[in-house]
Each structure stands twice: as C-alpha cells, then as structure tokens.
Amino acid sequence: DPQAGSRSVRIRLRARAASRAMGTPAPASPALGAPSAETWTPEFARELQEAVDRIFVVAGERLKGLRFSLTIADPSIRDCPLIGCSEGFKELCGYGMEDIVGRNCRFLVDPVPKEKVSASVRTIAREFSAAARERQGYKLPGNLREDYMPQGDMPEDYGIFLMQMNARKNGSLFRNMFYLRTLELNEKPYIIGLQTEVVGDDMTSYHEACGVLDQ
C-alpha cells in the first residue's frame, strides 16, 4: 500500500525529529553550525529506505523497477544542509552519511563541468529552500519551467520536480531526478527529496513516482 508507505516515512521522520529534540544535541559542524553524522544512524537510514521501498512496491512494475532514495534537509539552518538520508542515497551517488550530513547538496553539482549544469535548476532549488524556511508556498516561475517537468499549474503545497547533472563520489556523472517537498515535523519545516537516476528521455515513470509519494 503506497499510502501506508508514505505514512511510515512520516512516522519515522517524526520520531527521529522528536528524539533529536529531547536528546543531547549532537556536535555541530564548525563550518555550517549544522548537525554532524552522529545525528543520523545506519539503522535509521535502513528503516527509512525500507519505508521508501514500501511506497513503490505496488507501483514497482509500472515504474520499471526504479530505485528511489530519500534525503532530508533543514532549511532553518544556514545553507540548508542535509541532516539525513536513506540507504539508497549511497547506492545512487556513492556518498555515505559521514560524507553528506551537514553539507548542502551542491556538493553533487560543483564537480560537474559548467556546460552540463542547469543554472535554472540551481535557482529553483535555492528559491524553494528559502520559501520553505519562511513556511511559504512556492510557485514555479514560468520562465524557469523546462520541458521535462510535469505540465500544468501545480498547487503551491505540492513539490517541485527537477533534474540536474550530478557527480558521484567516484567522479562519474549521472542525471539525477529529485522531487522536493516541504514537510512539517514537530512544528518545524524540513525538505524531503525523492531521488533516482534518470535513464532515457521518457519522464512518465518519474512523474508517476512523484504522484505516488504525494498520496
């Protein structure tokens, strides 16, 4: 049941946010003032990946066996760092929790040759993060819309569907689809990102995956 999977993701994220709020704060990154990898355990990464997998198990055949991962970022912290991820993120890009927690996701883009990077996608991601920090809805400007994105006007409380060339830890490049949504946990905004590698030019399955998550 995809809806049960979505609830499971929310429950796990909410429980983790509560445990962080009640526990002893983890050491901060000197550069960002952000949580360190000690705030996110391998066990939780595994549990979160299991919850993500359950969302898509029913739609798995329609989605051609795509493997999804999930990240969570905190827009209230300067530079909107990642504070956790599911196991699948390391499978996707080679970076583990010790590499990503406390860092803005631009580390996936910075090594990519400039001519392969979409400047408009970087702008959208920044603007979306700023809106999330202020707990405001985000409306995609028409001049930044690209052909691969879902067509038609989307409600402001929906997420944004983006694609960007990224670099894995080993230096190889891949097209990363990421769907960003805001999520309120314990009266605090977070940004969750559904991600997978894009293969081919037909975006139908990727659009459908985001719709499954929205359920």
Side-chain angles (χ1 to χ4, degrees):
D1 183 349
Q3 292 186 358
S6 295
R7 287 193 297 272
S8 183
V9 167
R10 289 181 173 84
I11 289 169
R12 280 165 169 74
L13 292 177
R14 188 173 291 112
R16 184 56 178 169
S19 68
R20 287 183 59 209
M22 293 184 293
T24 302
S29 161
L32 299 175
S36 74
E38 295 179 24
T39 64
W40 197 268
T41 67
E43 291 77 16
F44 194 72
R46 182 174 59 254
E47 290 177 3
L48 183 57
Q49 187 63 51
E50 290 171 354
V52 171
D53 291 342
R54 276 198 295 276
I55 293 175
F56 298 104
V57 67
V58 173
E61 185 175 346
R62 296 197 307 275
L63 297 179
K64 303 178 182 178
L66 297 175
R67 173 72 163 171
F68 296 94
S69 64
L70 200 74
T71 56
I72 178 169
D74 188 341
S76 69
I77 299 176
R78 182 166 60 91
D79 214 28
C80 193
L82 296 170
I83 62 171
C85 64
S86 69
E87 277 186 334
F89 188 76
K90 186 172 185 178
E91 296 177 17
L92 176 67
C93 62
Y95 289 97
M97 290 183 297
E98 68 280 3
D99 299 311
I100 70 115
V101 171
R103 301 174 68 184
N104 182 282
C105 59
R106 73 171 68 90
F107 71 89
L108 293 168
V109 182
D110 287 343
V112 178
K114 283 189 176 182
E115 65 272 14
K116 295 182 179 293
V117 174
S118 169
S120 62
V121 167
R122 302 195 85 164
T123 297
I124 293 168
R126 283 196 300 269
E127 292 179 349
F128 183 86
S129 298
R133 182 178 62 248
E134 301 300 325
R135 296 183 176 180
Q136 297 176 349
Y138 178 76
K139 187 75 170 179
L140 180 67
N143 65 311
L144 294 181
R145 183 178 295 278
E146 300 195 18
D147 291 341
Y148 67 81
M149 297 176 179
Q151 300 303 304
D153 291 332
M154 304 295 288
E156 289 187 355
D157 60 345
Y158 274 50
I160 54 171
F161 181 96
L162 300 171
M163 183 169 62
Q164 182 70 279
M165 188 68 74
N166 282 181
R168 294 187 175 89
K169 190 174 183 178
N170 65 9
S172 63
L173 303 183
F174 70 103
R175 287 189 299 164
N176 187 17
M177 179 227 86
F178 54 108
Y179 182 63
L180 304 179
R181 284 209 62 166
T182 55
L183 181 67
E184 289 275 334
L185 299 173
N186 300 330
E187 300 183 350
K188 180 174 178 173
Y190 292 90
I191 297 174
I192 58 172
L194 180 72
Q195 305 182 57
T196 192
E197 180 175 6
V198 174
V199 179
D201 296 321
D202 185 354
M203 304 303 294
T204 304
S205 295
Y206 303 96
H207 293 168
E208 182 178 350
C210 299
V212 171
L213 185 66
D214 283 335
Q215 295 175 10

